[in-house]
Structure formats: C-alpha cells, structure tokens
Amino acid sequence: MRELSFTGAIEDALAHAMADDERVVVFGEDVPGLRMNLYARFGEARVRPAPISESAFLGAAVGAAMAGLRPVVEIMLVDFLPVAMSALVNEASKIAAFSGGEWQVPMVVRASCGGGYGDGGQHEQALWAWLAHIPGLSVVVPSTPADAGGLLLGALAHEGPVVFLEHKLLAEDWLDYMGGGGRTTVAFDVPAAGARGPVPETWQPTPLGRAIGLREGGDLTIVGVGVAVHRALEAADRLAAESGFEASVIDLRSVQPLDRQAVCEAVRGSRRLLVVDEDYRDFGLSGELAATVMEAGIGARYARVCVEDTIPFDRRREAQVLPNTDRIVAAASRLVER
Amino acid sequence: MRELSFTGAIEDALAHAMADDERVVVFGEDVPGLRMNLYARFGEARVRPAPISESAFLGAAVGAAMAGLRPVVEIMLVDFLPVAMSALVNEASKIAAFSGGEWQVPMVVRASCGGGYGDGGQHEQALWAWLAHIPGLSVVVPSTPADAGGLLLGALAHEGPVVFLEHKLLAEDWLDYMGGGGRTTVAFDVPAAGARGPVPETWQPTPLGRAIGLREGGDLTIVGVGVAVHRALEAADRLAAESGFEASVIDLRSVQPLDRQAVCEAVRGSRRLLVVDEDYRDFGLSGELAATVMEAGIGARYARVCVEDTIPFDRRREAQVLPNTDRIVAAASRLVER
Amino acid sequence: MTPDNLKLYRAMLTSRRLEEAISELWRDGLISGEMHLGIGEEGIVAGVVDHLDEGDAIAADHRSTPPMVMRGVDLPAIVAECLGSSAGLGRGLGGHMHLMSRRHIAASSGIVGASGPLACGFALANQQLRPDRVAVAFFGEGAMNQGMLMESLNLAGCWRLPVVFVCKDNGMAITTPSQSVTSGDLPERVRGFGIPAVEVDGADAEAVWQAASEAILRARRGGGPGYLHASCVRPEGHFLGDPLLRIVRRPVTELRAKVGPLTRAASSPQGAGVAQRAASLGGITTMVARAAGMRGRDPVRRHRARLEIDRGRLEALENEVESAVRAAVEEALASLEEVSA
Amino acid sequence: MTPDNLKLYRAMLTSRRLEEAISELWRDGLISGEMHLGIGEEGIVAGVVDHLDEGDAIAADHRSTPPMVMRGVDLPAIVAECLGSSAGLGRGLGGHMHLMSRRHIAASSGIVGASGPLACGFALANQQLRPDRVAVAFFGEGAMNQGMLMESLNLAGCWRLPVVFVCKDNGMAITTPSQSVTSGDLPERVRGFGIPAVEVDGADAEAVWQAASEAILRARRGGGPGYLHASCVRPEGHFLGDPLLRIVRRPVTELRAKVGPLTRAASSPQGAGVAQRAASLGGITTMVARAAGMRGRDPVRRHRARLEIDRGRLEALENEVESAVRAAVEEALASLEEVSA
Ligand SMILES: Cc1ncc(C[n+]2csc(CCOP(=O)(O)OP(=O)(O)O)c2C)c(N)n1
Ligand SMILES: Cc1ncc(C[n+]2csc(CCOP(=O)(O)OP(=O)(O)O)c2C)c(N)n1
Ligand SMILES: [Mg+2]
Ligand SMILES: [Mg+2]
C-alpha cells in the first residue's frame, strides 16, 4: 500500500479519472494555481480558471453536465456556496425530477470546509446538512486519504450532483494556504490519521451512502463525519481508559445518502447515541439521526456535540465551540452514567 | 373583533408600523403592484420597486438595517432566496456576532412559500428549516391572520434578521396571482380558518418563539407550522371521530426560535410525537423536534409526515406528497395503535 | 443569405396556435398557475431557432413553449406536460416552467436569469465535445439585472464560449416597467463586456434571422459570444390570468374590490405627502395602461403579410398547422384520461 | 480644491506602519490565517476616505485595515481584533476580515463583492435619514465579476443612491491575472450601467483625492453613484504567507517539494498535447513572476517625496506615527494577556 496525504489522494484519484475519461473537466477560481499538477498535465482546456462568478460557473457546471461533460467544479470554501445556491437548489438537484428521470446532472462540486485554524465564522462553516436538506443533492465528507480518493471517484461515477467536502484540517494544501502560511509559529490540531494514510495501489470508486465502523464498543454509539470522527475516536479511547466504557464510532462518510441502517443497528445494541457534528446543531445532521432512531422505534439515550452558534475568530474560543475531545468525553460520560 | 384575510392582516399591521415609524421601508420586485395600497399611501420612497437583483437588494437591506432603517424586503417566493443566500448566511445572521454584539441587523425578509396549487417543484418549496439552520436567523411561519399581523410586528420589533414566510394557500393575493388567475374552473384546498379570521382591533407584536396549542388531547402530540397545522387539526378531528383517540395540536409559529419547552411538555404527557411538515423531511424541522425530545430524555413514539422529494407539478401527484390529512391520519393511527 | 420565410411562418404559427390552445386548456382549469406564454415573441424565437441543428443547445426562460415547439420537440408531449400528464415531456413532474428535451439539449427554468449560466454550460460542453456547435440563451430584459446573467456574459466572453444571448425586450417585468429599474442602456451594457451587441426589431422575424445568422456563425467559428437585443410585446400579460390585464378587460368587476381600499389608503392620515401619493396613483394608472397597450406589432401577422405565396398554398399550410395542433391537444388530453381511468 | 497632503501622508503612513506591525504579529503566530494587507493601496484609500465625515459610510472588502485606520477607528481595537482579543473591535469574535465600527458606519466582509450591496444599503439609509451623506464601497478588480457587485451598480444607478464605488485594481485575484478572466474593459463596463467612471493612478494619493472629490460631491448633491478605477500593487502578495511570494523569496526551499510532482505530472502519459502542457508551464511561471513583480509604485513613498515641508517637521510626524502604532500594538497585546491571565 502507498501512503498519501489527503490532498494527494484526491489529486491522484482525480488524475486517474481525467486520464481515463476526457469528459472530466475541472474549473473554478484559481485552479491553475491550486491544482498546478493537473493544470500542467491536462492543460487549460480541462483545468480552467474561472472569474469570481460562482453563480455563473456553478450554473454552467449544471449545463455542462447535462450536455455530456463530467465537471468537477471547485468552490474554494463551502461558505461561498450561498452566493450561488440557486444552481444547486433549483437546478442541479431538480433536473432529474423535472425531466421525469430522463436527464441527469453528473457533476461534482468540490469545496473545502470546516474550522480549527482561526479563520472566523464566515470561512469555517461546515454546511453539509444544509446542503443535504435539498432532495436530489448528495453530500460526501471523507475523513481519510483512502476515503477521499475513493469517494471522489464514487462521486464522479454517480449520475446526480454531489458536493464533495474536504475538511481544511485534513487537506494539507488548504491548511497551509489559509492557516499556516509557511509559519513554524502556529500549530493546528490535525488528526494524523486523517491527513495522511494508506491508499490502494489502484483506485476503486467507493459507493456513496455506506457508513463505516471505525471502533467497536457496546456501551455507546458515536456518529459523525470528517474531523469529528477523529475527535470521536480519541474521545472513545479516553473514555475507555478513564472510565472503562467502550464506544463504537461510526463514520457516515456521506451525509446524503445517509446510512440509516448502520446507525440503527449500532444503536439498537448500545441504546445510546452521541452525534458529534461540526455543522450547526439546529435542523441538521444531529436532528436527522435522532429522527432516524426514533422512527425505527429504538429507545435510546441521546446527546449531541455540535457547533451551536457563529464560530468565533479567536482561536481559544473557537477551540471551545468546535466539537473537541473534551466536549465529547463529557457528553459521552453523561450518556453512559446512571 | 374585526375579520381580515391573511394578506389583509399583514397589510394592516404593516401600514400601522409604517405610519408609526418612518424607518420602516418596503422594497422588492414589483412592490408597487403587489402592495398597491401601501404604495399609494407611503409613496415610492418607502415602497420601492427593485430590479430583479435579489443579491443586491437583499444585501442592501442588511446595510440599510445596519445604518438605521427597518427594511421589510420582499423576495416574492422563498424559492428565489437561494439566488441571494449569502446576504443571509454570511452577512445578516453574522454581523451581531462579528461586531461582538455591538451592531444589530433589524430587517424582515418577507416571502411567500409552500405548495398545493400546482406550481411545480421550483416554486412551491418551504425551506424554513433550511433557513433556520443558520445561527442568527429567525424564521416565522404564521398560520392565521391574527398571527400573521402580530408576528409581522414581532419580527419588526426584533433586533435581528427575521424571515417571515407567508404560505400561498393562506395568502389570498398570492393564491389568486399564482394559482387561480381569476378562474372559476380551479379549486384549492384552502384552510378556511387560516385564510380569513378575527384580528385584534389594535395590533400588538407577538413575540417570536412562542408556540400555541390549538387542540387538546392526551393520546398524541402533533406539531407543525403553517398550512400543516390546519391539516393536523382536521386529521385530529377525524382521528377522534373515527377511532376515539385525542390528539393535541401545537402550532410552533416560529421555527427559529423554536419553542422546545412547549413540545417537550406536551410529549412528556402523550409519549407520542407526530411532526407534520411541508418542508423537506431530511435534516429539517422533523429531525430537530426528534432531537429535542430525545435530548430532554423523553421516551416517545415518533413519526413524521413531510415532503420527501422534489414536489411534482401534476396536481394529483402533488396532493399525494404534501402532508395531507389522509397521510396524517394514517401516521397518527399507526402511532397510537398497539 | 435569406431565410426560408415559409418555414419561419410555419414555426411561428405552430407556436402561436399551440399557445392559444394551451390558453383554452388553462381557462378550462386543466393547466395550473403561472402559465407564461410566448405570444408576441415568436418572431425572435423563430429567427434564432431556425439556425439550430443537431448538437446545438437552447436554454430558455419561463416562456419556453415557443423555443421547444420551434426546435421540433414533440407537440403532444409539450401539451401533456402542461397538463401534468405522465405522457408529458417530464412525465408531468416538471410542468410548463420546466419544459426540456434531452435529445435537443434544450431546457428551461423558472428562475429569472438561470438561462445564462445554463447556456454557458451547454456551450462549454460543445466547445469540448462538439466543436462548431453552439448554445442559445433566451431571457427577458428584466433578467438582465440578475447577477448570474451578467456574470454569464463575462464568463462567455473570457472563455470565448460559443453562445448567443438573446434578450427579448417586452419592456416589462411583471408589473414593473423595466426602464424604471434599469440603469443605462442594455446593449451598451453588453458591449461593456466586450461582446458585440445587435439591436433588432423582434416583430420582424426575417430581421432577427439575419442578425442571428451572423452571431451564430461567429460563435460556430470560435469567435466567441454574441448578443441580440430584440424588442417584442406581451399581449397576453405576464401570464394567463394577469391581474392587470383582467382590469383592462373587465374593469368594473375587477376594480370593484380594489378601488375602495386603494382610495382609503391613499387618503389615510400619516404617510407620504400629497405629491408623492399622487405620483404613486399615477404609477398605478400607468401600470394598467401599459398592460392595455401591449397589443399590436404582431410578429406572426406581420410575417404572414410579407409572404409571397399564393393564397391556396398558404391556407393549406395553415390548415396543416391547425390540425397538427388539434391532434396534439387531443393526444395530450387522451393521455390524461388514460391515467385517471 | 487641493487636499491637505500632510494629513493624507499621516493617514497613509499610519496604515502602512500598522500593517507592518500586524505582519510581525502574524509572523510570530499571534494572528491567524488569511491576513490580507492593504499595503500598496493606501493611496487609493487615503484619497477617498479623506472626504468622509460623520454619517458617511464605508463598506470594505477583505483588505479593510486601511479604511478603518484612515476613518479614525481606534488603533488598539483594530490590532486587538486581529489578535482575537476581547478588547478588539468585535471582541475578538469577528477577526481581521470583519473589522467594523458602528459609530463610523463602517463594515467589511470576506465575501468577494459583498461591499457592493452593503454600500447600497448604507446609501439607501443615508438617502432616507441623512440627506447629503454618502457611502463608499471598496473592492478589487476581481470582485467586478461577482454578480452581486454588478447588480449593485445597476441598483445604485436606478435608485440614484449616493454611493461611490472604488475599484482597487492590482491586476490579480489570488494567483489569477484578472485580465484572463475578465471580458472587456472594466471602466467601460461601468459606463454601460450609466454610471460615470473615472480612471486614476492609485499610487498617486492626490490624484485619487481629486477624482474622489468630484464623485463624492456629486453623490452628496443627489447626482447618483460614481465609480473610480484606481490601479495599485500588491507587494505583500494575496495575504501574508502567500505561497507564490514564498517561492519568490525562498525559491530553493519552497520549490523543493513542488517541482518533482509538477514535472512528473507534466510528463505523464495521457493528458493534453505538448503545446498545451507547455502553455500551462508557461502560465505557472508567469504566475510566480507576477508575484515577484508587484513591488514599486509605492504610494506612501511617492507621496512623501512630494511633500513640501521641512525635514524636521516630517520626521516629527513620522515619529508620532511610529509611537502611536507602537502604543496600539502594546495596548492590544496587553489586552490579550489580561484575558489569558
Ligand atoms: C430569481 C427570480 N426572481 C424573481 C422571479 C419572479 N419573476 C418571474 S418572471 C419575472 C419577470 C421577468 O421579466 P423579464 O426577464 O423581462 O421576462 P418577461 O416575463 O418580461 O418575459 C419575475 C420577476 C423569478 N422567477 N426568479
Ligand atoms: C464569493 C467569494 N468567492 C471567492 C472568495 C475567495 N477570494 C478571496 S479574495 C479573492 C480575490 C479577490 O480579488 P480582488 O477582488 O481583485 O481583490 P484583491 O485580493 O486583489 O485585493 C478571492 C477569489 C471569496 N472570499 N468570496
Ligand atoms: Mg420583460
Ligand atoms: Mg485584485
């Protein structure tokens, strides 16, 4: 097995897809600079810089996908999607329905997301549940290099629109770009296993909608995506060491489709569900998982550790409001106690 | 008590607010035509037609509110908000936080919402939970003329941004405009008590975040907003008549702030929660209410009747996917059985 | 080059007759709300669409029946979609604001301005996959103030996309005179994006055809985007059941409920000064007057008058069109009954 | 009219020195990512902001330190905000992309183009509440392709808003030469919206002051919006730690990790033809070269050279500025320690 960084895995998988399929094109602001290697290999016709016109080029991706391309359109930060959401809410997600199933929109929207490096509340949002609220949109949030590459190919193979979110604490290029800036004077709490890890020699698309269990444990089920999964694993180890309770940890990997079955099976056993989510708490993933469990008629204790408000700029306060290990351990302890 | 239509109540309350407070201004596409009476009385400086530039004039409302006005900005249909969401997601909702609480954005976004008149999946969305996901935004969904007028004043009195949603089956002007077109050959399932009803002689602002119980019943708690509330009332009567079970019906009136206490109190008694929601099911209001109940440690049976997919244009199929009385009765019956 | 004027006439007449039939169905309550017609803009659509062929794409706005009809999309499927029948273009799921045909790379959207980005995307795919094929975007003058459309002009310019933007200027956006909310002159605005803009009388299908011919040819040859600004009228109002047109057509009935509240409001204490109130009332009157003034300059009649063809052949063509439309409506209605049966 | 050049110099120098101090704090790891500086654009900001007074408003972009400094916002509070201190302008919650001061009706946003709508809103409030007060929007040339900003030009035009749009053209949007993604000429584009557009050398504070004087006065008198297009440079890169500038400054270290993958990619089988690959590599080289070429045309030095004032007074002023900045930094740092203590 090879080892690659999170960013490297995506680039590697994407380069393969582009070499295999002429229809795959990349465009977005600054992509020649951001994706220099792809730009050098595939040329400007297929790795195209776009003006700062998210509405036009995201909307153009919809048209391009309808007319035969497989665009990978880059929106630098998920926070910028609200500028151009009509292309996703009113076009991409609905064309299949409006055409009676005749016409599909196979496009991938690639965006970085998440916080933990002091970039303020307008540049650190997660928004995956917000996107997943809209029927017809898939939303993928990988947590390791292997999943990042595999899910990118899964997204490219998917016939509908997929938003592919890369957490900035995992994607070394983004973190250096927006956080580090080449300094040795700053440090970030990067989950090592998420930022770099083994990837298959030959990429296979990972199908969307399949959660993966990363830790076994019968006392409690912790569910999340992205960086939260790594925090949950750390918290689970601490919980085991400190109080002897064993938590299972499930990485959903995609928010939509949502692997309800995996969650229900685990909670049916543990009777305790803790959702760890970097997206906003209200009307989001944590609520949907509660509904999933209740709908399945599973009685369970429940708690959630989420982002509850606009994220503060100050890194000290930021660290407190993100779903950190301390908050997870505390919530988990309350759930298992009694 | 006077009787007014839903639209009439809003106009009446708004005219009072405008007469009392010079800072209240209305703008949006076509407002001279849509709000002819206000236009005639307050003139074009305060009832201003806007170009089809939602991003600019919604963003301008943020600035206007910051600089001392109390704008009521009209976005004809909530479906058009995605064109301009950055003004709400990245500006209006976050200024108070970013300014350390120094600066508020007292603006009201007025938009019609909802379906039931055959306008297709791009013009009948609800999207209230999608809006409410963003911390710092309030979302109001009145279900009667009295609440519509009172909550509009509540929204105007609020120091932060509020999205005020008018269901098109309740608002006679919108329904005639987009559905009826002056014809006698079409019929709509308009909840009578929502479209017209008593209003106070003198308007008082209704505070946001206070649910109201519309029907008592200990076997089951049905919760919703807007037209769903009327469907729930009808279903509850049918349930009582057909099988003797008594459901309470709670109208949340605002989605954010969410009156969690009212829901928990009711469900603590009934142990059965049915959410009826015209917004999309996944990652929405129905999930948030499940989480609310579970977080409070209340064991309850749970079901939801929501919109699950893009709404079909065909009115027959549309009627089936909206939360209609049959679906509510069926879901309620399953919940109370056993 | 000159167009085949008879072909243009057939296209325009088919669209006109079909939309008239759709109006009947709407009046009978068989088609639901917001039925926007393209009556009045057939000259523009015909003059442009006549140049399109296999692989060329169309992004249309909320008045999408004419482009679909003229591009050769199955008539019964169009009507069936308006009826919400599962035999419709979108199996009755999309509706009349979302007419689309994959085979023709033709789609429409009810979001004002959305045809701009969509056409850019179609054009991008053509640039990569089908060199010399183009895309056309149709939209109104009101849409020209929508950010995504202005962005599309720039995008098309800097990517040299083979796209022709076609602005159908009927002067109105619902009840708002577009001039009152538009700063500057629209063709000038487009030229400011480095895109050649041509103004043409949209009631003159042949003139549109000539202008479109040049722009489309340039786009096919890699010369980048073009823009046509074509004037037109909106005789059937914004959509069927347009409240202003109802006032024009049945003033007594329609005004009865409105005049009382309006005069009460206009004379209420507190509010604007007298001059401003008078200006508002003037504005409202103009609004109604404009709705009434949208007749005339009929592109179909005008084109017919110009045809140099003997009466017999013309009548034969017109009868053919009539029957095709009648057959389409019958087929669509039948499909509806099958389902409900 | 002529400006008080000494006042302009003090404003520019204060901003420059403060941003230099901020750079130090950033290098020490005390300020977190995406620290965009306005170094290079002080001539533009000074020439515009000097005209503003009580009730006038500013909407700034991600380079918002200069406008805040020059508008008279408390220096320690600005630095403290960058540090995330609760003594900051936004109590450390907003950060350097969200510097704002309610008292000065001045706010900024990190969403490219957002200053357009915001300034329109400020101007609308002024039009209603404070006649003769104006609003200014600052943004870069890259932002001119953002729909909401283009919409704002139209909105300001048709509502005759008292707003002056100020485009600071440094030629780049992060690593993208803006010309490569911009169709047409920007001042021409603005004129297409019916708004007078003036081009000016942004390194010449006095020239900017003159141009701004006219536009602002016209806006104050109800003459509607104006637009200044001012050229400038970006010597510190897009933000502190700009990867391209790192390559320029430390080519050996910075390129080590990049060159291998790049040459491997450029020579991999499957992909574009040789000519296209060569063009890409050329593009990358130009990107780096442009980053390097952003020095010179320093507005502060240039303005200083022009001052007709004796050396002693000049040095006194400069020392004053130095101490004010040093004091601001110390106060901000102290506020930080208080909290962590
Ligand atoms: C983004 C958006 N905003 C508003 C609307 C409501 N709307 C529908 S048609 C229309 C007017 C469009 O005017 P124009 O582009 O001139 O086309 P016309 O109807 O005159 O043909 C408006 C405002 C919409 N559908 N989408
Ligand atoms: C809507 C949006 N898209 C993209 C970005 C990322 N971004 C930040 S600054 C920038 C470049 C802006 O260029 P310009 O307007 O010329 O300003 P400059 O940085 O050159 O001063 C971009 C693309 C953003 N912040 N917001
Ligand atoms: Mg029009
Ligand atoms: Mg720039």
Side-chain angles (χ1 to χ4, degrees), chain C residues 140-142 168 170-173 178:
Chain C
E141 83 298 334
K168 304 164 293 152
N170 60 17
M172 296 290 285
S178 291

PDB file of all heavy atoms in Angstrom, chain C residues 140-142 168 170-173 178, ligand 3:
ATOM      1  N   GLY C 140     -35.557  37.646 -20.752  1.00  0.00           N
ATOM      2  CA  GLY C 140     -36.175  38.954 -20.931  1.00  0.00           C
ATOM      3  C   GLY C 140     -35.256  40.085 -20.504  1.00  0.00           C
ATOM      4  O   GLY C 140     -34.191  39.855 -19.915  1.00  0.00           O
ATOM      5  N   GLU C 141     -35.676  41.310 -20.791  1.00  0.00           N
ATOM      6  CA  GLU C 141     -34.847  42.456 -20.418  1.00  0.00           C
ATOM      7  C   GLU C 141     -34.772  42.604 -18.903  1.00  0.00           C
ATOM      8  O   GLU C 141     -33.783  43.116 -18.377  1.00  0.00           O
ATOM      9  CB  GLU C 141     -35.359  43.738 -21.085  1.00  0.00           C
ATOM     10  CG  GLU C 141     -36.516  44.442 -20.379  1.00  0.00           C
ATOM     11  CD  GLU C 141     -37.786  43.589 -20.301  1.00  0.00           C
ATOM     12  OE1 GLU C 141     -37.986  42.698 -21.155  1.00  0.00           O
ATOM     13  OE2 GLU C 141     -38.576  43.810 -19.360  1.00  0.00           O
ATOM     14  N   GLY C 142     -35.804  42.125 -18.192  1.00  0.00           N
ATOM     15  CA  GLY C 142     -35.760  42.201 -16.733  1.00  0.00           C
ATOM     16  C   GLY C 142     -34.644  41.332 -16.172  1.00  0.00           C
ATOM     17  O   GLY C 142     -34.005  41.679 -15.177  1.00  0.00           O
ATOM     18  N   LYS C 168     -35.155  39.210 -25.053  1.00  0.00           N
ATOM     19  CA  LYS C 168     -36.473  39.516 -25.614  1.00  0.00           C
ATOM     20  C   LYS C 168     -37.038  40.670 -24.788  1.00  0.00           C
ATOM     21  O   LYS C 168     -37.547  40.469 -23.680  1.00  0.00           O
ATOM     22  CB  LYS C 168     -37.385  38.287 -25.510  1.00  0.00           C
ATOM     23  CG  LYS C 168     -36.816  37.025 -26.165  1.00  0.00           C
ATOM     24  CD  LYS C 168     -37.572  35.776 -25.677  1.00  0.00           C
ATOM     25  CE  LYS C 168     -37.297  35.564 -24.203  1.00  0.00           C
ATOM     26  NZ  LYS C 168     -38.356  34.881 -23.461  1.00  0.00           N
ATOM     27  N   ASN C 170     -39.621  43.058 -23.829  1.00  0.00           N
ATOM     28  CA  ASN C 170     -41.014  43.491 -23.899  1.00  0.00           C
ATOM     29  C   ASN C 170     -41.275  44.675 -22.967  1.00  0.00           C
ATOM     30  O   ASN C 170     -42.422  45.055 -22.736  1.00  0.00           O
ATOM     31  CB  ASN C 170     -41.968  42.315 -23.580  1.00  0.00           C
ATOM     32  CG  ASN C 170     -41.727  41.762 -22.186  1.00  0.00           C
ATOM     33  OD1 ASN C 170     -41.109  42.409 -21.356  1.00  0.00           O
ATOM     34  ND2 ASN C 170     -42.224  40.559 -21.935  1.00  0.00           N
ATOM     35  N   GLY C 171     -40.225  45.209 -22.385  1.00  0.00           N
ATOM     36  CA  GLY C 171     -40.330  46.430 -21.596  1.00  0.00           C
ATOM     37  C   GLY C 171     -40.835  46.242 -20.180  1.00  0.00           C
ATOM     38  O   GLY C 171     -40.771  47.181 -19.378  1.00  0.00           O
ATOM     39  N   MET C 172     -41.335  45.051 -19.872  1.00  0.00           N
ATOM     40  CA  MET C 172     -41.963  44.857 -18.567  1.00  0.00           C
ATOM     41  C   MET C 172     -41.400  43.641 -17.841  1.00  0.00           C
ATOM     42  O   MET C 172     -41.050  42.637 -18.467  1.00  0.00           O
ATOM     43  CB  MET C 172     -43.471  44.618 -18.731  1.00  0.00           C
ATOM     44  CG  MET C 172     -44.242  45.791 -19.304  1.00  0.00           C
ATOM     45  SD  MET C 172     -44.350  47.178 -18.147  1.00  0.00           S
ATOM     46  CE  MET C 172     -45.583  46.545 -16.992  1.00  0.00           C
ATOM     47  N   ALA C 173     -41.337  43.740 -16.544  1.00  0.00           N
ATOM     48  CA  ALA C 173     -41.076  42.583 -15.694  1.00  0.00           C
ATOM     49  C   ALA C 173     -42.268  42.504 -14.739  1.00  0.00           C
ATOM     50  O   ALA C 173     -42.376  43.292 -13.816  1.00  0.00           O
ATOM     51  CB  ALA C 173     -39.768  42.740 -14.938  1.00  0.00           C
ATOM     52  N   SER C 178     -39.435  47.932 -17.000  1.00  0.00           N
ATOM     53  CA  SER C 178     -38.029  47.603 -16.733  1.00  0.00           C
ATOM     54  C   SER C 178     -37.131  48.831 -16.770  1.00  0.00           C
ATOM     55  O   SER C 178     -36.129  48.898 -16.056  1.00  0.00           O
ATOM     56  CB  SER C 178     -37.549  46.529 -17.703  1.00  0.00           C
ATOM     57  OG  SER C 178     -38.194  45.309 -17.384  1.00  0.00           O
TER      58      SER C 178
HETATM   59 MG    MG E   3     -39.756  41.663 -19.885  1.00  0.00          MG
END
